[in-house]
Amino acid sequence: MRSPRHLLLLAASSLALLGGAALPALALDSAGMAAHAAAAQDAAPSQAWAQAASDIPADPAVRFGVLPNGMRYAILKNATPPGQASLRLRIAAGSLMENEDQLGLAHFMEHMAFNGTTNVPENELLRILERLGLAFGADTNAFTSFDQTAYTLELPRTNDETVDTSLRIMREQVSEALMKAEDIDAERGVIEGEERLRNTPGLRSLKAQIALLAPGQRLANRLPIGDLSIIRSAPRERFVEFYEAYYRPERATMIAVGDFDVDQMEAKIRATFADWKPKAADGPNPDLGTVAPRAPETRILVEPGIQSSIQLNWVRNPDLDPDTVAERRDSLLQNLGLAVLNRRLGEIARADNPPFISASAGSGSLFDSVDIGSISAAFNPGGLTRALETIDQEQRRLVQFGVSQAELDREIANNRTALENAVQAAATRSTPGLANALLGAANDDLVFSAPATNLALFEAAVKDLKATQVDAAVKTVFEGQGPLALVVTPEPIEGGEAGVTAALQASRSVPVTPRAEQAELQWPYADFGAVATPSSRTEAAAVGATVVTFPNGVRLTVKPTEFKDEQILISVRTGIGEEALPTDRFTAQALAPMVFTPGGLGKLTADELSRVLTGKIYGAGFTIDGDAYQLSGATRPADLQLQMQVLAAYLTDPGLRPAPFEQIKAVLPQYVAQQRATPGGAFAIDGAGYLASGDKREVFPPADVIAAFTLDELKQGVLQGMASGPIDVVMVGDVTVDDAITTVASTFAALPKRAPAAQPLPGSDQRRFPAPTAQPVRLTHTGPAEQALAYVAWPTTDAVDDRTEARKVAILSEVFKLRVLDEIREKQALAYSPRVSSSASDVFKGYGSISVMAETAADKIPAFYAAVDAITASLRDAPVTEDELNRARLPTIESLRRSQAGNEYWLGQLADVAAKPATIEQIQTHISDLESFTPADIQAAARQYLKPDTAWKAEVISDKAPAQ
C-alpha cells in the first residue's frame, strides 16, 4: 500500500510528459519443453542483423549468429550481477499480423505458451522454473506488442541445470504449445480480466491518438488486447493458424546475456533450437498502409479521469532507411534541437504562473507505419488556450529563429558526459539492461553498437557543429501533414473542435520574437567552513563498510564496491521525519517532496542550477521517511566533491520557491480525479489512511486542505525538521574510503555542530493497524461499472529490531501468493493479476501486514473472498509441502542475492549501521533466516496471523454500479 507521500511523489513525476511523438510501444504482459524431430533446413531469417546493411560496426563483444533454420541469436558475456543471466526469445510477430478473425490472438497465444506443451504439463512449466529460483512475473514473463512477442527469463544461476532447463522451456513454448480447446476456454476469463484491468482512461486516450495519427492504416485497429468478442469465442484452429504461421525459426531471435562461457552458451542454443522446423507456410508480413493526405484537423476526446492535454502532430510516411552513420547524425542533430526546445519548455513550466503543468516535443516512428513530429502540454482544466498558444509559439520560435550556439553547446556537453560515462562504465553494465537493449535493437532493426563506438560517432557528428546546422535539421521534425491537434480532457471544451481550431489559428497569427540570451552563472556553494578531521574510524568488516565520525556529529558509512563502475550512490539522513509530524491533523509538509528539489537553492533556481552544472553528473532527491528527512544523490568519482556540495547546499539553503508549491497545489485535484477513475487508483488514494487507523500522515489530504496550505508553513516545518539531529551520510559504490572522507570533511562535517534530535510528538512514534471488519469497507471509483477491487489484510509484525519474524511472514506471503495465483487467476479466472504482499515497518513497532488484492468484476467479489478464506484455511490447517515452500522461498532468496550484487541494496541496508551497529547482524542473517524456515514454521505463522477474526476488508466499486 502506497502512502500519501509516495502517491504525491507519483503525482509530481507524472507532470513530465513523454516526448509526444514517440508513443510508448503498447505491450501486454503475461506473467509468465523434446524438440520437434525433423531435419534442419537452411533458411534465411526474416530479417538479417542490422549491421549487414550498415556502416556502423556492431559491438564486438556480442556474438551474432544465424542457425541453419533461420533463427538468429546474440550472445554476450556479462558479469553484472555475477553468476546470473538474462534470456529473451523474440518472435517477429505481434498484433499487426492478426487477421480480422484473430484480433487479440497474438496476445492470447502468448498466454497459451505457458499453458501446456508437448513435454511440459499445463501446471508444471512455472513450477519447474520456480524450483530453479525464478519468480512468476519478476523472472518469468512475456509481452505482446504490435510488431513482436517476447518471452523473458531472468536466471539466478548459469549452471547447466538452470540454463538447459530454461532453454528447453523456451523451445517448448515457441514450437510445442498444445493449445487444448479446454485450456483455451479456461484462459478466456483471464484475458477478459486483463482487458478489464487495462481499460483505463490512458488506454482510451491512446486509442484516440492512434486513430487520429494513422486513420485507415492497420495500426489503428490492432491494439494487442484485441476484440473481446473474438477472445470469448475464437475456436482452437484460429490459434493454431496464427501459431504455425508466425511462431517459426526464421522469425525467432534468441538473446542470451550473462556470466557464462559464450562458446558453451552458443552450443546449448544450437543444440536446443537447431532442429526446430516450421509446420506450415510462413505467415505474410501485413500491408501497414500509407499515410493519407491530411489537412489540419482537430480532435477532442472527453474522458473523465484523464489528464488534460493538448498535442500538435505532424505526420509523414515512415523513414525505413537502414541504421547508418548518416542516419544517426541526422537524428542526433534533430534531437539536439529538440533538447533545446524541451529545456525551454521546462523553464516555462517552472516559472511563476506557468501556462501548463509540463510540456515536451519529440520525434519518432510508430511501428513502421507513420513518422511523427509532435509538441504537447499537460494543463489544468480551463488552461487550454494558454497551453495551446505557448507550445505553438515556442515551436514556431524554434523553427523561425533556431537555437543559440550557447544552448547547443550545453546540450552537446550533457550528451558527451553521458556517453563518456557509458564508456567508462561499460564493463559493469546491467545484464537485464543489456538483454533488453539487444531485444530493442533486434526489434527496431538497429545496430547494437558499443559505447565507445557511440561516443566516437557522436564526436564526429558534433565536431565544429554550428547552431545553423541544427536549425535546419530540427525544422524537419515539424514538416509533414498537419498540424493534427488532439485535446484530451476530463470535461467538455467550450466551443468544441471548432473553438480549438480557431484558438490555434489565432495563435499562429501572432508573431514570435527571438529568445533572450541567458546570463553566465557561477557555482556559489563551494565553501561550507573549515575542513574537519575525523574523530573516529571503525571498520565494519562483516559488511565491507567503514564508519567514520566527525566532531560536529556527522557520521559517514562508506562501502566501496565493484558492482558498477562510475556509480556512487549517496544518502543523507537527519531529523526524525514523520515522528515529528502530528497524527491528528494535516500539515503542509505533505507537499515537501514535490516542492523541495524543484525549488532549487537559495542562490540558484532549479534551472540555473542545471545550467551552471552543465556536463556534470549529480542528483538531488528528497523524501520524508518515518524517522528521518532524507536527501539522495547519484554521481561518478569525478563529480563526487560537487555532488556532496549540492546535497550540503540543499540541506543548508533550500530554495523552497513559490512556483513549484503553487503548481503542485493546482495539479493535485486533477491527479486525484485521475486516480479515482480506476479501482486501484481509488484504493491507493483512500486505502492507506484506513490501514493506518486514520493517522493523518497516511491520509491523502482533501482538496480544501491542500488549497489552504501555505508555503510559509511548509518552509517552517521542513527547515525546523532538518535543523537538528545527527547527520548520517551513507556512500556506496565506485569510491575509496579516503575520497569519501575528504568530500564529507569539506561539506557536511564542516557545518556547525548539530543540536540533539527532536523528540517525537505524543503518539507519533506509533502506527496502528485497523480493527477487523465484519463487512468490507466500501469505497468508490469513477470508472466503468464492471470494474471493481477487493482487498483483505491481516496485521502481522514489525522489522524494527529482530527481523526474523518479519522474514518468516514474508515467506508465508510468498506461499500464499502461489496459491492465490493458482486458484484465483488460473482455476477460477477471477482476476488477471491478483497480488499478495507483506510489509513490516522498520520504524513503528508492531506495525506490519499481509494483504491480498485483486481488481476483478464487481459480481466476482464474493467469490474472491470465498477463495481467499479457503486458501487461508488451507494454510492454517496443514503444513505446506517442502516443494511448495521451496518454490516460494528460492525465488525470494535469488532475488535477494541479485539485489546484494547492487549498490542500491547496500545504500538502504547501511542507513542505520552507524547509529545501530546491531543492524550488521540482521543484514548477515537474511538469507540464512529464509533458508531455515520449515513447513511447520509457515503453518504456525499462518495460524498466528491469517486469522479470520483479525482481517480488515475493503472493496472498491464504481459509482455507476447499480445500488445494492
Side-chain angles (χ1 to χ4, degrees):
M1 167 52 56
R2 288 172 167 155
S3 73
R5 299 189 313 280
H6 296 135
L7 287 170
L8 290 168
L9 284 172
L10 181 62
S13 67
S14 70
L15 302 186
L17 290 176
L18 292 172
L23 285 175
L26 179 66
L28 295 177
D29 293 331
S30 168
M33 272 181 205
H36 176 68
Q41 300 179 359
D42 287 351
S46 59
Q47 191 173 39
W49 289 109
Q51 55 265 28
S54 176
D55 52 358
I56 301 171
D59 189 335
V62 182
R63 181 174 296 179
F64 296 93
V66 181
L67 297 180
N69 60 10
M71 177 175 167
R72 301 188 302 177
Y73 60 84
I75 308 171
L76 174 61
K77 180 177 177 60
N78 190 68
T80 306
Q84 299 175 25
S86 296
L87 303 182
R88 307 287 185 266
L89 182 51
R90 172 182 178 266
I91 300 296
S95 58
L96 286 172
M97 283 68 180
E98 296 166 345
N99 295 326
E100 291 298 323
D101 61 356
Q102 294 175 325
L103 300 184
L105 298 197
H107 168 240
F108 203 149
M109 184 59 248
E110 169 220 316
H111 280 241
M112 296 311 300
F114 288 87
N115 280 342
T117 66
T118 301
N119 300 288
V120 184
E122 176 185 357
N123 296 323
E124 278 301 302
L125 189 150
L126 291 173
R127 292 177 182 177
I128 290 169
L129 294 172
E130 288 163 353
R131 292 177 189 121
L132 295 174
L134 282 75
F136 177 72
D139 305 318
T140 306
N141 218 316
F143 68 83
T144 304
S145 186
F146 287 90
D147 54 359
Q148 68 170 332
T149 304
Y151 297 85
T152 70
L153 293 178
E154 300 297 339
L155 310 189
R157 290 174 304 281
T158 53
N159 60 352
D160 287 343
E161 180 188 13
T162 303
V163 173
D164 292 347
T165 302
S166 298
L167 289 173
R168 184 166 57 93
I169 284 178
M170 290 184 126
R171 166 61 195 274
E172 287 273 321
Q173 289 181 299
V174 297
S175 69
E176 299 295 325
L178 294 177
M179 296 171 285
K180 293 179 180 178
E182 60 268 28
D183 294 337
I184 290 173
D185 289 341
E187 194 71 14
R188 296 187 201 274
V190 175
I191 303 291
E192 192 168 348
E194 184 172 1
E195 190 279 339
R196 183 174 55 244
L197 177 68
R198 299 186 187 282
N199 184 19
T200 63
L203 180 63
R204 295 190 287 273
S205 173
L206 177 64
K207 290 179 180 179
Q209 189 174 8
I210 294 175
L212 174 65
L213 299 176
Q217 292 185 255
R218 195 175 185 90
L219 182 70
N221 187 38
R222 286 297 188 281
L223 264 74
I225 194 61
D227 184 327
L228 271 182
S229 64
I230 292 175
I231 289 167
R232 289 169 177 149
S233 63
R236 179 180 183 272
E237 52 265 31
R238 293 290 90 76
F239 292 82
V240 174
E241 288 169 3
F242 186 88
Y243 187 64
E244 293 186 349
Y246 292 103
Y247 277 62
R248 47 197 311 114
E250 65 270 31
R251 287 183 173 271
T253 302
M254 169 58 73
I255 294 165
V257 181
D259 192 4
F260 47 64
D261 180 272
V262 171
D263 290 337
Q264 292 179 7
M265 179 59 76
E266 183 179 36
K268 289 178 183 295
I269 291 172
R270 287 184 172 275
T272 306
F273 290 95
D275 62 349
W276 179 13
K277 184 180 179 180
K279 299 177 182 178
D282 189 7
N285 286 320
D287 180 359
L288 301 179
T290 58
V291 175
R294 307 290 295 278
E297 184 179 345
T298 298
R299 193 85 51 87
I300 295 175
L301 172 67
V302 178
E303 181 64 57
I306 197 70
Q307 167 69 58
S308 301
S309 65
I310 169 68
Q311 185 180 90
L312 304 178
N313 303 281
W314 291 260
V315 298
R316 55 193 178 275
N317 282 312
D319 176 3
L320 302 179
D321 292 340
D323 181 18
T324 62
V325 171
E327 284 281 313
R328 288 200 186 183
R329 184 182 186 277
D330 291 345
S331 178
L332 173 64
L333 267 59
Q334 282 188 352
N335 288 334
L336 288 170
L338 289 170
V340 171
L341 177 56
N342 281 320
R343 193 176 297 278
R344 293 177 180 179
L345 294 169
E347 291 174 356
I348 293 170
R350 290 182 288 271
D352 291 335
N353 190 26
F356 40 63
I357 298 168
S358 62
S360 64
S363 177
S365 180
L366 286 185
F367 306 103
D368 291 342
S369 297
V370 57
D371 281 2
I372 311 158
S374 180
I375 186 167
S376 55
F379 56 90
N380 286 321
L384 171 61
T385 301
R386 286 186 69 207
L388 174 59
E389 291 172 347
T390 305
I391 61 172
D392 163 63
Q393 291 166 28
E394 287 302 317
Q395 179 264 329
R396 289 191 291 115
R397 193 187 321 278
L398 181 79
V399 169
Q400 186 171 341
F401 296 105
V403 306
S404 71
Q405 192 66 40
E407 288 177 307
L408 174 59
D409 290 344
R410 178 182 179 186
E411 302 306 335
I412 289 174
N414 285 331
N415 275 268
R416 176 179 289 119
T417 297
L419 290 167
E420 288 174 343
N421 203 57
V423 171
Q424 294 164 349
T428 53
R429 289 174 289 176
S430 155
T431 286
L434 284 166
N436 290 335
L438 276 163
L439 177 64
N443 191 59
D444 296 335
D445 200 22
L446 300 175
V447 178
F448 185 84
S449 47
T453 300
N454 298 336
L455 177 60
L457 293 175
F458 172 82
E459 293 292 6
V462 301
K463 183 179 180 181
D464 301 322
L465 184 65
K466 302 301 181 187
T468 52
Q469 295 170 278
V470 171
D471 294 345
V474 77
K475 284 180 182 180
T476 63
V477 172
F478 304 106
E479 295 173 352
Q481 303 185 62
L484 307 176
L486 176 65
V487 178
V488 180
T489 171
E491 55 191 36
I493 298 293
E494 185 177 355
E497 292 173 351
V500 175
T501 300
L504 178 57
Q505 290 173 342
S507 176
R508 294 178 76 82
S509 69
V510 176
V512 293
T513 56
R515 181 179 168 87
E517 294 291 331
Q518 294 176 318
E520 291 292 326
L521 297 168
Q522 299 297 320
W523 176 240
Y525 293 101
D527 185 3
F528 292 90
V531 177
T533 300
S535 53
S536 70
R537 175 171 171 164
T538 305
E539 302 301 320
V543 290
T546 300
V547 178
V548 181
T549 61
F550 292 90
N552 69 342
V554 168
R555 299 179 293 219
L556 165 67
T557 302
V558 56
K559 178 179 173 66
T561 73
E562 297 180 353
F563 300 139
K564 188 172 182 61
D565 294 340
E566 297 295 304
Q567 184 193 67
I568 305 171
L569 303 183
I570 302 122
S571 73
V572 180
R573 294 166 60 87
T574 193
I576 60 172
E578 278 194 309
E579 291 185 314
L581 302 180
T583 63
D584 59 352
R585 64 181 176 84
F586 299 105
T587 72
Q589 286 196 63
L591 306 188
M594 292 80 68
V595 174
F596 192 91
T597 302
L601 301 169
K603 299 175 184 177
L604 296 169
T605 67
D607 290 308
E608 290 170 339
L609 175 64
S610 176
R611 214 161 71 231
V612 76
L613 299 183
T614 293
K616 304 296 183 182
I617 293 179
Y618 68 97
F622 176 78
T623 57
I624 303 177
D625 294 338
D627 58 352
Y629 292 82
Q630 177 169 296
L631 294 162
S632 58
T635 187
R636 58 180 177 173
D639 292 326
L640 178 59
Q641 181 69 42
L642 172 66
Q643 172 68 83
M644 298 309 291
Q645 291 173 355
V646 169
L647 295 178
Y650 267 108
L651 177 69
T652 58
D653 190 28
L656 295 173
R657 288 180 166 80
F661 179 73
E662 293 302 326
Q663 184 186 49
I664 198 67
K665 286 177 64 177
V667 163
L668 283 176
Q670 189 172 195
Y671 171 74
V672 171
Q674 293 169 41
Q675 290 293 102
R676 293 198 183 283
T678 65
F683 187 69
I685 290 289
D686 295 330
Y690 280 102
L691 289 166
S693 297
D695 185 334
K696 289 295 193 291
R697 296 170 298 178
E698 290 294 292
V699 176
F700 202 99
D704 60 337
V705 171
I706 291 173
F709 286 152
T710 68
L711 182 59
D712 286 343
E713 178 192 357
L714 185 149
K715 279 185 178 180
Q716 180 181 357
V718 171
L719 295 179
Q720 181 178 331
M722 297 176 64
S724 63
I727 297 174
D728 281 292
V729 180
V730 179
M731 198 176 298
V732 178
D734 189 4
V735 63
T736 67
V737 175
D738 288 342
D739 284 348
I741 292 173
T742 297
T743 58
V744 173
S746 62
T747 53
F748 291 98
L751 299 174
K753 186 174 178 64
R754 304 277 291 181
Q759 293 300 305
L761 294 177
S764 291
D765 58 351
Q766 301 171 24
R767 183 156 292 157
R768 294 179 296 105
F769 191 83
T773 52
Q775 295 296 323
V777 172
R778 173 160 289 189
L779 309 172
T780 60
H781 67 91
T782 59
E786 66 270 16
Q787 294 180 343
L789 178 148
Y791 179 92
V792 191
W794 299 261
T796 57
T797 187
D798 63 80
V800 175
D801 296 316
D802 186 349
R803 305 174 189 174
T804 306
E805 186 69 10
R807 290 166 179 170
K808 186 187 302 178
V809 171
I811 296 300
L812 169 61
S813 77
E814 292 301 314
V815 175
F816 192 4
K817 182 185 301 181
L818 293 181
R819 296 197 180 183
V820 162
L821 290 170
D822 184 58
E823 183 66 30
I824 291 177
R825 174 187 158 111
E826 298 300 330
K827 290 182 179 177
Q828 298 194 41
L830 298 176
Y832 164 68
S833 183
R835 296 183 288 281
V836 179
S837 61
S838 66
S839 65
S841 175
D842 58 2
V843 175
F844 303 108
K845 288 195 173 184
Y847 190 70
S849 67
I850 285 181
S851 64
V852 56
M853 176 173 68
E855 294 192 46
T856 185
D859 60 0
K860 294 182 178 180
I861 289 178
F864 167 83
Y865 285 131
V868 169
D869 288 344
I871 293 169
T872 53
S874 71
L875 290 169
R876 294 190 303 267
D877 292 346
V880 300
T881 65
E882 194 71 36
D883 177 68
E884 187 176 23
L885 175 56
N886 282 329
R887 288 192 293 110
R889 171 169 48 197
L890 289 178
T892 303
I893 291 173
E894 296 303 340
S895 176
L896 176 57
R897 286 195 173 117
R898 187 180 300 133
S899 297
Q900 289 176 338
N903 293 324
E904 293 82 358
Y905 170 86
W906 289 103
L907 187 73
Q909 291 294 310
L910 297 176
D912 295 331
V913 163
K916 298 167 60 177
T919 301
I920 293 174
E921 181 180 358
Q922 295 293 306
I923 296 171
Q924 290 179 282
T925 60
H926 198 164
I927 289 179
S928 61
D929 281 347
L930 299 180
E931 292 175 333
S932 71
F933 301 139
T934 67
D937 292 330
I938 301 306
Q939 182 186 16
R943 288 175 170 173
Q944 180 176 355
Y945 298 116
L946 298 181
K947 296 185 291 189
D949 59 356
T950 64
W952 184 85
K953 298 181 180 181
E955 60 187 27
V956 186
I957 64 168
S958 173
D959 60 5
K960 303 174 183 64
Q964 297 183 6

